[in-house]
């Protein structure tokens, strides 16, 4: 098979051709600055307004509550830093989880260095936060709860509406990093009690470098970038018009096709999971079996090293990603896999495959066949596996499929 099989849609996605078409004129003919008064540029202002309306409608929000940013990381940084800034008189305690994206975790570390206190909630073996622990972590000086909507590595979705209700009951702001979820699963900010929400264009077949932060009306939040009056003076800088148009178009397409796509992707995902679990021994499925993103599968193969697996998959034309971080110069496996309780050696043998709307059953069949060969080959070179086969014990319990 010569074709590239891209199963890393949690890392980034391909821009939908319709999205690209919508963006292109704003690089050339329609290059005007949206802040200019002449008629030539007024269409650009209008295009931004439409994108804002599109995004707002999908969330059940008001367009004035949407602030475009330079991506998901910026939205996360803004939500945390500006809340800390605006509410520090009320208190300096923030609650988040151990499995957040680094855009949240590293921002929390920064806030800790500025005198804030952060509670990092545990998750269970499926990656779900413990509501009891969340409840008991709330203090009079807690100003913010930030819990991601869906995890980027293991796909687990959190009980967002329940967290929203608790936050409201306690009068605490609730932010969710919905970068993996927005456009993929239904989200309604009112029903779910969400006060702030981050999203990013390139995780929903839109462009990179553009995202938004939803900020509920009435939330005191500081400007993130000071300068001109763009984004109601809260995020200055000449707007990324093509990017914003792309994000708005991508969001619209995702919303219109969500049900159909989620059904198709989750069917293929389940097929992939079923075959891998059945045909490759000593394999564990990471993440919740059902409460997970429609396109996410994450496995740990015992006696296999993740990086070698990725390289061999790459040679077979398959793009996936691993929970081991050797390439980034660190020997520590993913903080998410450790948080769900995997021992290091199991976490190192992890593989994340995230499907796209163009993934086919034939591709999945090819991937499973290749994966079987690769895992077998890598195991045959592993001294641990040899010991195990010769009567040793398993490194850890991995056969149990967690419900
Ligand atoms: C990708 C991602 C981000 C970062 O978004 P960028 O637009 O790449 O900055 C943040 N959170 C989660 C959960 C993500 O998956």
């Amino acid at each position: 098979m010569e074709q590239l099989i891209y199963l890393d849609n949690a890392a980034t996605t391909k821009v939908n051709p319709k999205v690209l078409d919508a963006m292109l004129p704003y690089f050339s003919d329609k290059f005007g600055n949206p802040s200019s008064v002449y008629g030539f540029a007024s269409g650009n202002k209008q295009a931004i307004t439409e994108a804002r309306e599109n995004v707002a409608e999908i969330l059940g929000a008001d367009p004035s509550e949407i602030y475009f940013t330079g991506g998901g990381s910026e939205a996360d940084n803004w939500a945390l830093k500006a809340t800390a800034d605006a509410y520090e008189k009320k208190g300096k305690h923030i609650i988040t989880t151990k499995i957040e994206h680094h855009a949240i975790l590293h921002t929390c570390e920064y806030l800790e260095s500025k005198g804030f206190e952060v509670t990092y909630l545990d998750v269970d073996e499926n990656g779900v936060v413990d509501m009891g622990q969340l409840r008991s972590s709330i203090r009079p000086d807690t100003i913010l709860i930030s819990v991601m909507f869906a995890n980027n590595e293991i796909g687990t979705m959190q009980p967002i509406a329940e967290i929203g209700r608790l936050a409201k009951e306690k009068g605490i702001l609730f932010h969710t990093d919905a970068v993996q979820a927005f456009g993929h699963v239904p989200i309604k900010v009112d029903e779910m009690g969400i006060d702030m929400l981050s999203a990013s264009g390139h995780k929903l077949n839109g462009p990179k470098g553009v995202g938004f932060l939803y900020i509920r009306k009435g939330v005191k939040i500081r400007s993130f970038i000071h300068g001109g009056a763009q984004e109601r003076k809260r995020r200055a800088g000449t707007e990324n018009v093509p990017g914003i148009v792309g994000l708005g178009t991508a969001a619209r397409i995702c919303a219109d096709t969500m049900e159909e796509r989620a059904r198709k992707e989750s069917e293929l995902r389940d097929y992939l999971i079923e075959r891998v679990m059945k045909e490759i021994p000593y394999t564990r499925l990471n993440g919740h079996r059902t409460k997970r993103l429609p396109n996410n599968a994450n496995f740990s193969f015992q006696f296999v090293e993740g990086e070698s697996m990725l390289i061999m998959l790459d040679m077979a034309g398959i793009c996936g990603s691993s929970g081991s971080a050797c390439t980034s110069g660190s020997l520590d496996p993913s903080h998410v896999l450790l948080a769900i309780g995997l021992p290091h050696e199991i976490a190192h043998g992890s593989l994340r495959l995230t499907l796209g709307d163009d993934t086919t059953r034939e591709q999945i069949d090819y991937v499973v066949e290749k994966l079987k060969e690769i895992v077998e080959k890598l195991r045959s070179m592993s001294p641990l596996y040899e010991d195990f086969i010769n009567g040793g014990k398993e490194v850890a319990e991995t056969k149990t499929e967690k419900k």
Side-chain angles (χ1 to χ4, degrees), residues 229-261:
Q230 294 92 353
E231 299 302 294
R232 279 138 291 141
K233 293 193 185 160
R234 281 172 157 182
R235 201 277 186 186
T238 304
E239 297 90 338
N240 171 5
V241 186
I244 291 170
V245 167
L247 170 56
T249 310
R252 168 59 41 215
I253 294 171
C254 280
D256 290 346
T257 58
M258 188 183 291
E259 224 171 295
E260 159 85 31
R261 226 185 49 227

PDB file of all heavy atoms in Angstrom, residues 229-261:
ATOM      1  N   ALA A 229      -8.337  47.866  19.477  1.00  0.00           N
ATOM      2  CA  ALA A 229      -9.655  47.578  20.055  1.00  0.00           C
ATOM      3  C   ALA A 229     -10.256  46.264  19.565  1.00  0.00           C
ATOM      4  O   ALA A 229     -11.420  45.982  19.815  1.00  0.00           O
ATOM      5  CB  ALA A 229     -10.593  48.731  19.753  1.00  0.00           C
ATOM      6  N   GLN A 230      -9.463  45.438  18.876  1.00  0.00           N
ATOM      7  CA  GLN A 230     -10.002  44.178  18.339  1.00  0.00           C
ATOM      8  C   GLN A 230     -10.513  43.267  19.460  1.00  0.00           C
ATOM      9  O   GLN A 230     -10.024  43.340  20.593  1.00  0.00           O
ATOM     10  CB  GLN A 230      -8.927  43.428  17.529  1.00  0.00           C
ATOM     11  CG  GLN A 230      -8.498  44.133  16.255  1.00  0.00           C
ATOM     12  CD  GLN A 230      -7.305  45.045  16.481  1.00  0.00           C
ATOM     13  OE1 GLN A 230      -6.871  45.261  17.588  1.00  0.00           O
ATOM     14  NE2 GLN A 230      -6.795  45.600  15.401  1.00  0.00           N
ATOM     15  N   GLU A 231     -11.451  42.406  19.117  1.00  0.00           N
ATOM     16  CA  GLU A 231     -12.057  41.467  20.073  1.00  0.00           C
ATOM     17  C   GLU A 231     -12.488  42.208  21.345  1.00  0.00           C
ATOM     18  O   GLU A 231     -12.191  41.806  22.458  1.00  0.00           O
ATOM     19  CB  GLU A 231     -11.104  40.308  20.392  1.00  0.00           C
ATOM     20  CG  GLU A 231     -10.721  39.467  19.178  1.00  0.00           C
ATOM     21  CD  GLU A 231     -11.900  38.842  18.454  1.00  0.00           C
ATOM     22  OE1 GLU A 231     -12.577  37.978  19.031  1.00  0.00           O
ATOM     23  OE2 GLU A 231     -12.154  39.261  17.304  1.00  0.00           O
ATOM     24  N   ARG A 232     -13.244  43.241  21.129  1.00  0.00           N
ATOM     25  CA  ARG A 232     -13.766  44.069  22.217  1.00  0.00           C
ATOM     26  C   ARG A 232     -12.682  44.456  23.220  1.00  0.00           C
ATOM     27  O   ARG A 232     -12.852  44.337  24.438  1.00  0.00           O
ATOM     28  CB  ARG A 232     -14.968  43.382  22.903  1.00  0.00           C
ATOM     29  CG  ARG A 232     -16.267  43.599  22.112  1.00  0.00           C
ATOM     30  CD  ARG A 232     -17.107  42.346  22.033  1.00  0.00           C
ATOM     31  NE  ARG A 232     -16.427  41.368  21.175  1.00  0.00           N
ATOM     32  CZ  ARG A 232     -16.383  40.076  21.388  1.00  0.00           C
ATOM     33  NH1 ARG A 232     -16.940  39.568  22.437  1.00  0.00           N
ATOM     34  NH2 ARG A 232     -15.774  39.277  20.536  1.00  0.00           N
ATOM     35  N   LYS A 233     -11.546  44.850  22.695  1.00  0.00           N
ATOM     36  CA  LYS A 233     -10.383  45.345  23.460  1.00  0.00           C
ATOM     37  C   LYS A 233      -9.750  44.280  24.354  1.00  0.00           C
ATOM     38  O   LYS A 233      -8.893  44.589  25.175  1.00  0.00           O
ATOM     39  CB  LYS A 233     -10.767  46.551  24.338  1.00  0.00           C
ATOM     40  CG  LYS A 233     -11.134  47.794  23.548  1.00  0.00           C
ATOM     41  CD  LYS A 233     -11.174  48.984  24.490  1.00  0.00           C
ATOM     42  CE  LYS A 233     -11.660  50.205  23.729  1.00  0.00           C
ATOM     43  NZ  LYS A 233     -12.166  51.234  24.634  1.00  0.00           N
ATOM     44  N   ARG A 234     -10.177  43.049  24.213  1.00  0.00           N
ATOM     45  CA  ARG A 234      -9.623  42.045  25.120  1.00  0.00           C
ATOM     46  C   ARG A 234      -8.483  41.245  24.488  1.00  0.00           C
ATOM     47  O   ARG A 234      -7.677  40.653  25.194  1.00  0.00           O
ATOM     48  CB  ARG A 234     -10.720  41.096  25.590  1.00  0.00           C
ATOM     49  CG  ARG A 234     -11.546  41.731  26.687  1.00  0.00           C
ATOM     50  CD  ARG A 234     -12.725  40.907  27.015  1.00  0.00           C
ATOM     51  NE  ARG A 234     -13.210  41.174  28.367  1.00  0.00           N
ATOM     52  CZ  ARG A 234     -14.229  40.532  28.921  1.00  0.00           C
ATOM     53  NH1 ARG A 234     -14.863  39.593  28.246  1.00  0.00           N
ATOM     54  NH2 ARG A 234     -14.618  40.818  30.124  1.00  0.00           N
ATOM     55  N   ARG A 235      -8.437  41.262  23.161  1.00  0.00           N
ATOM     56  CA  ARG A 235      -7.360  40.526  22.514  1.00  0.00           C
ATOM     57  C   ARG A 235      -6.967  41.338  21.282  1.00  0.00           C
ATOM     58  O   ARG A 235      -7.504  41.154  20.187  1.00  0.00           O
ATOM     59  CB  ARG A 235      -7.839  39.125  22.129  1.00  0.00           C
ATOM     60  CG  ARG A 235      -6.741  38.089  21.921  1.00  0.00           C
ATOM     61  CD  ARG A 235      -6.142  38.162  20.550  1.00  0.00           C
ATOM     62  NE  ARG A 235      -5.192  37.072  20.296  1.00  0.00           N
ATOM     63  CZ  ARG A 235      -4.456  37.001  19.197  1.00  0.00           C
ATOM     64  NH1 ARG A 235      -4.559  37.921  18.257  1.00  0.00           N
ATOM     65  NH2 ARG A 235      -3.632  36.000  19.030  1.00  0.00           N
ATOM     66  N   ALA A 236      -6.019  42.257  21.504  1.00  0.00           N
ATOM     67  CA  ALA A 236      -5.643  43.199  20.451  1.00  0.00           C
ATOM     68  C   ALA A 236      -4.854  42.507  19.343  1.00  0.00           C
ATOM     69  O   ALA A 236      -4.357  41.399  19.510  1.00  0.00           O
ATOM     70  CB  ALA A 236      -4.820  44.331  21.052  1.00  0.00           C
ATOM     71  N   GLY A 237      -4.738  43.192  18.232  1.00  0.00           N
ATOM     72  CA  GLY A 237      -3.970  42.691  17.086  1.00  0.00           C
ATOM     73  C   GLY A 237      -4.887  42.542  15.890  1.00  0.00           C
ATOM     74  O   GLY A 237      -6.023  42.092  16.043  1.00  0.00           O
ATOM     75  N   THR A 238      -4.399  42.952  14.717  1.00  0.00           N
ATOM     76  CA  THR A 238      -5.190  42.814  13.496  1.00  0.00           C
ATOM     77  C   THR A 238      -5.613  41.359  13.348  1.00  0.00           C
ATOM     78  O   THR A 238      -4.798  40.452  13.481  1.00  0.00           O
ATOM     79  CB  THR A 238      -4.360  43.258  12.271  1.00  0.00           C
ATOM     80  OG1 THR A 238      -3.926  44.593  12.510  1.00  0.00           O
ATOM     81  CG2 THR A 238      -5.182  43.196  11.000  1.00  0.00           C
ATOM     82  N   GLU A 239      -6.887  41.159  13.112  1.00  0.00           N
ATOM     83  CA  GLU A 239      -7.440  39.809  13.105  1.00  0.00           C
ATOM     84  C   GLU A 239      -6.839  38.926  12.009  1.00  0.00           C
ATOM     85  O   GLU A 239      -6.550  39.397  10.911  1.00  0.00           O
ATOM     86  CB  GLU A 239      -8.962  39.854  12.895  1.00  0.00           C
ATOM     87  CG  GLU A 239      -9.732  40.561  13.999  1.00  0.00           C
ATOM     88  CD  GLU A 239      -9.892  42.050  13.744  1.00  0.00           C
ATOM     89  OE1 GLU A 239      -9.088  42.631  12.971  1.00  0.00           O
ATOM     90  OE2 GLU A 239     -10.826  42.641  14.324  1.00  0.00           O
ATOM     91  N   ASN A 240      -6.695  37.662  12.326  1.00  0.00           N
ATOM     92  CA  ASN A 240      -6.278  36.643  11.366  1.00  0.00           C
ATOM     93  C   ASN A 240      -7.533  36.278  10.566  1.00  0.00           C
ATOM     94  O   ASN A 240      -8.186  35.274  10.823  1.00  0.00           O
ATOM     95  CB  ASN A 240      -5.728  35.445  12.140  1.00  0.00           C
ATOM     96  CG  ASN A 240      -5.452  34.243  11.268  1.00  0.00           C
ATOM     97  OD1 ASN A 240      -5.572  34.301  10.035  1.00  0.00           O
ATOM     98  ND2 ASN A 240      -5.085  33.135  11.891  1.00  0.00           N
ATOM     99  N   VAL A 241      -7.859  37.141   9.584  1.00  0.00           N
ATOM    100  CA  VAL A 241      -9.155  36.981   8.890  1.00  0.00           C
ATOM    101  C   VAL A 241      -9.276  35.614   8.200  1.00  0.00           C
ATOM    102  O   VAL A 241     -10.264  34.911   8.418  1.00  0.00           O
ATOM    103  CB  VAL A 241      -9.421  38.142   7.909  1.00  0.00           C
ATOM    104  CG1 VAL A 241     -10.824  38.018   7.315  1.00  0.00           C
ATOM    105  CG2 VAL A 241      -9.265  39.484   8.594  1.00  0.00           C
ATOM    106  N   PRO A 242      -8.280  35.197   7.379  1.00  0.00           N
ATOM    107  CA  PRO A 242      -8.444  33.874   6.749  1.00  0.00           C
ATOM    108  C   PRO A 242      -8.605  32.760   7.789  1.00  0.00           C
ATOM    109  O   PRO A 242      -9.431  31.862   7.618  1.00  0.00           O
ATOM    110  CB  PRO A 242      -7.139  33.689   5.959  1.00  0.00           C
ATOM    111  CG  PRO A 242      -6.500  35.017   5.892  1.00  0.00           C
ATOM    112  CD  PRO A 242      -6.996  35.836   7.040  1.00  0.00           C
ATOM    113  N   GLY A 243      -7.835  32.858   8.856  1.00  0.00           N
ATOM    114  CA  GLY A 243      -7.892  31.837   9.907  1.00  0.00           C
ATOM    115  C   GLY A 243      -9.253  31.810  10.582  1.00  0.00           C
ATOM    116  O   GLY A 243      -9.838  30.740  10.801  1.00  0.00           O
ATOM    117  N   ILE A 244      -9.755  32.984  10.907  1.00  0.00           N
ATOM    118  CA  ILE A 244     -11.051  33.062  11.595  1.00  0.00           C
ATOM    119  C   ILE A 244     -12.165  32.552  10.675  1.00  0.00           C
ATOM    120  O   ILE A 244     -13.049  31.799  11.108  1.00  0.00           O
ATOM    121  CB  ILE A 244     -11.310  34.507  12.080  1.00  0.00           C
ATOM    122  CG1 ILE A 244     -10.333  34.853  13.214  1.00  0.00           C
ATOM    123  CG2 ILE A 244     -12.757  34.695  12.522  1.00  0.00           C
ATOM    124  CD1 ILE A 244     -10.316  36.312  13.631  1.00  0.00           C
ATOM    125  N   VAL A 245     -12.087  32.934   9.398  1.00  0.00           N
ATOM    126  CA  VAL A 245     -13.082  32.452   8.431  1.00  0.00           C
ATOM    127  C   VAL A 245     -12.983  30.925   8.331  1.00  0.00           C
ATOM    128  O   VAL A 245     -13.995  30.213   8.307  1.00  0.00           O
ATOM    129  CB  VAL A 245     -12.868  33.115   7.044  1.00  0.00           C
ATOM    130  CG1 VAL A 245     -13.665  32.406   5.964  1.00  0.00           C
ATOM    131  CG2 VAL A 245     -13.239  34.593   7.119  1.00  0.00           C
ATOM    132  N   GLY A 246     -11.757  30.417   8.317  1.00  0.00           N
ATOM    133  CA  GLY A 246     -11.542  28.970   8.244  1.00  0.00           C
ATOM    134  C   GLY A 246     -12.110  28.261   9.466  1.00  0.00           C
ATOM    135  O   GLY A 246     -12.788  27.234   9.346  1.00  0.00           O
ATOM    136  N   LEU A 247     -11.855  28.823  10.632  1.00  0.00           N
ATOM    137  CA  LEU A 247     -12.360  28.218  11.868  1.00  0.00           C
ATOM    138  C   LEU A 247     -13.895  28.203  11.871  1.00  0.00           C
ATOM    139  O   LEU A 247     -14.520  27.192  12.204  1.00  0.00           O
ATOM    140  CB  LEU A 247     -11.816  28.989  13.080  1.00  0.00           C
ATOM    141  CG  LEU A 247     -12.403  28.657  14.463  1.00  0.00           C
ATOM    142  CD1 LEU A 247     -12.279  27.178  14.793  1.00  0.00           C
ATOM    143  CD2 LEU A 247     -11.695  29.477  15.547  1.00  0.00           C
ATOM    144  N   GLY A 248     -14.476  29.346  11.477  1.00  0.00           N
ATOM    145  CA  GLY A 248     -15.946  29.435  11.449  1.00  0.00           C
ATOM    146  C   GLY A 248     -16.554  28.435  10.477  1.00  0.00           C
ATOM    147  O   GLY A 248     -17.547  27.763  10.793  1.00  0.00           O
ATOM    148  N   THR A 249     -15.933  28.308   9.306  1.00  0.00           N
ATOM    149  CA  THR A 249     -16.447  27.380   8.296  1.00  0.00           C
ATOM    150  C   THR A 249     -16.286  25.934   8.766  1.00  0.00           C
ATOM    151  O   THR A 249     -17.195  25.110   8.632  1.00  0.00           O
ATOM    152  CB  THR A 249     -15.701  27.576   6.951  1.00  0.00           C
ATOM    153  OG1 THR A 249     -15.706  28.968   6.634  1.00  0.00           O
ATOM    154  CG2 THR A 249     -16.358  26.801   5.831  1.00  0.00           C
ATOM    155  N   ALA A 250     -15.118  25.636   9.333  1.00  0.00           N
ATOM    156  CA  ALA A 250     -14.866  24.275   9.817  1.00  0.00           C
ATOM    157  C   ALA A 250     -15.862  23.911  10.920  1.00  0.00           C
ATOM    158  O   ALA A 250     -16.396  22.794  10.946  1.00  0.00           O
ATOM    159  CB  ALA A 250     -13.436  24.161  10.344  1.00  0.00           C
ATOM    160  N   ALA A 251     -16.117  24.861  11.809  1.00  0.00           N
ATOM    161  CA  ALA A 251     -17.047  24.606  12.915  1.00  0.00           C
ATOM    162  C   ALA A 251     -18.445  24.331  12.367  1.00  0.00           C
ATOM    163  O   ALA A 251     -19.130  23.411  12.823  1.00  0.00           O
ATOM    164  CB  ALA A 251     -17.059  25.797  13.868  1.00  0.00           C
ATOM    165  N   ARG A 252     -18.838  25.118  11.380  1.00  0.00           N
ATOM    166  CA  ARG A 252     -20.156  24.941  10.773  1.00  0.00           C
ATOM    167  C   ARG A 252     -20.281  23.551  10.134  1.00  0.00           C
ATOM    168  O   ARG A 252     -21.232  22.818  10.363  1.00  0.00           O
ATOM    169  CB  ARG A 252     -20.369  26.072   9.747  1.00  0.00           C
ATOM    170  CG  ARG A 252     -21.508  25.973   8.785  1.00  0.00           C
ATOM    171  CD  ARG A 252     -22.895  25.870   9.388  1.00  0.00           C
ATOM    172  NE  ARG A 252     -23.133  26.737  10.530  1.00  0.00           N
ATOM    173  CZ  ARG A 252     -23.903  26.425  11.581  1.00  0.00           C
ATOM    174  NH1 ARG A 252     -24.487  25.249  11.662  1.00  0.00           N
ATOM    175  NH2 ARG A 252     -24.067  27.260  12.565  1.00  0.00           N
ATOM    176  N   ILE A 253     -19.272  23.170   9.355  1.00  0.00           N
ATOM    177  CA  ILE A 253     -19.301  21.861   8.689  1.00  0.00           C
ATOM    178  C   ILE A 253     -19.331  20.741   9.738  1.00  0.00           C
ATOM    179  O   ILE A 253     -20.105  19.787   9.631  1.00  0.00           O
ATOM    180  CB  ILE A 253     -18.080  21.694   7.747  1.00  0.00           C
ATOM    181  CG1 ILE A 253     -18.184  22.688   6.581  1.00  0.00           C
ATOM    182  CG2 ILE A 253     -17.979  20.263   7.222  1.00  0.00           C
ATOM    183  CD1 ILE A 253     -16.940  22.764   5.709  1.00  0.00           C
ATOM    184  N   CYS A 254     -18.505  20.876  10.768  1.00  0.00           N
ATOM    185  CA  CYS A 254     -18.471  19.850  11.813  1.00  0.00           C
ATOM    186  C   CYS A 254     -19.817  19.729  12.502  1.00  0.00           C
ATOM    187  O   CYS A 254     -20.277  18.619  12.785  1.00  0.00           O
ATOM    188  CB  CYS A 254     -17.397  20.176  12.851  1.00  0.00           C
ATOM    189  SG  CYS A 254     -15.768  19.722  12.294  1.00  0.00           S
ATOM    190  N   ALA A 255     -20.441  20.867  12.788  1.00  0.00           N
ATOM    191  CA  ALA A 255     -21.733  20.826  13.480  1.00  0.00           C
ATOM    192  C   ALA A 255     -22.783  20.160  12.595  1.00  0.00           C
ATOM    193  O   ALA A 255     -23.583  19.345  13.057  1.00  0.00           O
ATOM    194  CB  ALA A 255     -22.162  22.237  13.866  1.00  0.00           C
ATOM    195  N   ASP A 256     -22.758  20.498  11.311  1.00  0.00           N
ATOM    196  CA  ASP A 256     -23.757  19.944  10.387  1.00  0.00           C
ATOM    197  C   ASP A 256     -23.594  18.449  10.158  1.00  0.00           C
ATOM    198  O   ASP A 256     -24.547  17.755   9.819  1.00  0.00           O
ATOM    199  CB  ASP A 256     -23.688  20.670   9.027  1.00  0.00           C
ATOM    200  CG  ASP A 256     -24.187  22.108   9.137  1.00  0.00           C
ATOM    201  OD1 ASP A 256     -24.820  22.431  10.166  1.00  0.00           O
ATOM    202  OD2 ASP A 256     -23.930  22.894   8.209  1.00  0.00           O
ATOM    203  N   THR A 257     -22.364  17.956  10.286  1.00  0.00           N
ATOM    204  CA  THR A 257     -22.112  16.544   9.961  1.00  0.00           C
ATOM    205  C   THR A 257     -21.755  15.718  11.202  1.00  0.00           C
ATOM    206  O   THR A 257     -21.365  14.564  11.083  1.00  0.00           O
ATOM    207  CB  THR A 257     -20.944  16.430   8.948  1.00  0.00           C
ATOM    208  OG1 THR A 257     -19.782  17.043   9.530  1.00  0.00           O
ATOM    209  CG2 THR A 257     -21.249  17.120   7.639  1.00  0.00           C
ATOM    210  N   MET A 258     -21.881  16.329  12.374  1.00  0.00           N
ATOM    211  CA  MET A 258     -21.374  15.706  13.605  1.00  0.00           C
ATOM    212  C   MET A 258     -21.925  14.300  13.856  1.00  0.00           C
ATOM    213  O   MET A 258     -21.167  13.356  14.084  1.00  0.00           O
ATOM    214  CB  MET A 258     -21.683  16.596  14.810  1.00  0.00           C
ATOM    215  CG  MET A 258     -21.033  16.125  16.085  1.00  0.00           C
ATOM    216  SD  MET A 258     -21.493  17.149  17.488  1.00  0.00           S
ATOM    217  CE  MET A 258     -20.665  18.686  17.116  1.00  0.00           C
ATOM    218  N   GLU A 259     -23.240  14.188  13.795  1.00  0.00           N
ATOM    219  CA  GLU A 259     -23.869  12.931  14.140  1.00  0.00           C
ATOM    220  C   GLU A 259     -23.380  11.799  13.237  1.00  0.00           C
ATOM    221  O   GLU A 259     -22.944  10.742  13.696  1.00  0.00           O
ATOM    222  CB  GLU A 259     -25.384  13.079  13.986  1.00  0.00           C
ATOM    223  CG  GLU A 259     -26.162  12.482  15.122  1.00  0.00           C
ATOM    224  CD  GLU A 259     -27.628  12.866  15.012  1.00  0.00           C
ATOM    225  OE1 GLU A 259     -27.940  14.069  15.132  1.00  0.00           O
ATOM    226  OE2 GLU A 259     -28.430  11.965  14.761  1.00  0.00           O
ATOM    227  N   GLU A 260     -23.444  12.074  11.954  1.00  0.00           N
ATOM    228  CA  GLU A 260     -23.051  11.109  10.930  1.00  0.00           C
ATOM    229  C   GLU A 260     -21.570  10.727  11.088  1.00  0.00           C
ATOM    230  O   GLU A 260     -21.199   9.556  11.033  1.00  0.00           O
ATOM    231  CB  GLU A 260     -23.327  11.777   9.562  1.00  0.00           C
ATOM    232  CG  GLU A 260     -22.575  11.231   8.375  1.00  0.00           C
ATOM    233  CD  GLU A 260     -23.282  10.040   7.784  1.00  0.00           C
ATOM    234  OE1 GLU A 260     -24.520  10.007   7.878  1.00  0.00           O
ATOM    235  OE2 GLU A 260     -22.594   9.160   7.236  1.00  0.00           O
ATOM    236  N   ARG A 261     -20.726  11.746  11.303  1.00  0.00           N
ATOM    237  CA  ARG A 261     -19.296  11.488  11.426  1.00  0.00           C
ATOM    238  C   ARG A 261     -18.971  10.709  12.695  1.00  0.00           C
ATOM    239  O   ARG A 261     -18.177   9.771  12.675  1.00  0.00           O
ATOM    240  CB  ARG A 261     -18.531  12.814  11.396  1.00  0.00           C
ATOM    241  CG  ARG A 261     -17.342  12.767  10.474  1.00  0.00           C
ATOM    242  CD  ARG A 261     -16.535  14.039  10.547  1.00  0.00           C
ATOM    243  NE  ARG A 261     -16.266  14.389  11.924  1.00  0.00           N
ATOM    244  CZ  ARG A 261     -16.423  15.598  12.436  1.00  0.00           C
ATOM    245  NH1 ARG A 261     -16.835  16.581  11.687  1.00  0.00           N
ATOM    246  NH2 ARG A 261     -16.159  15.828  13.702  1.00  0.00           N
TER     247      ARG A 261
END
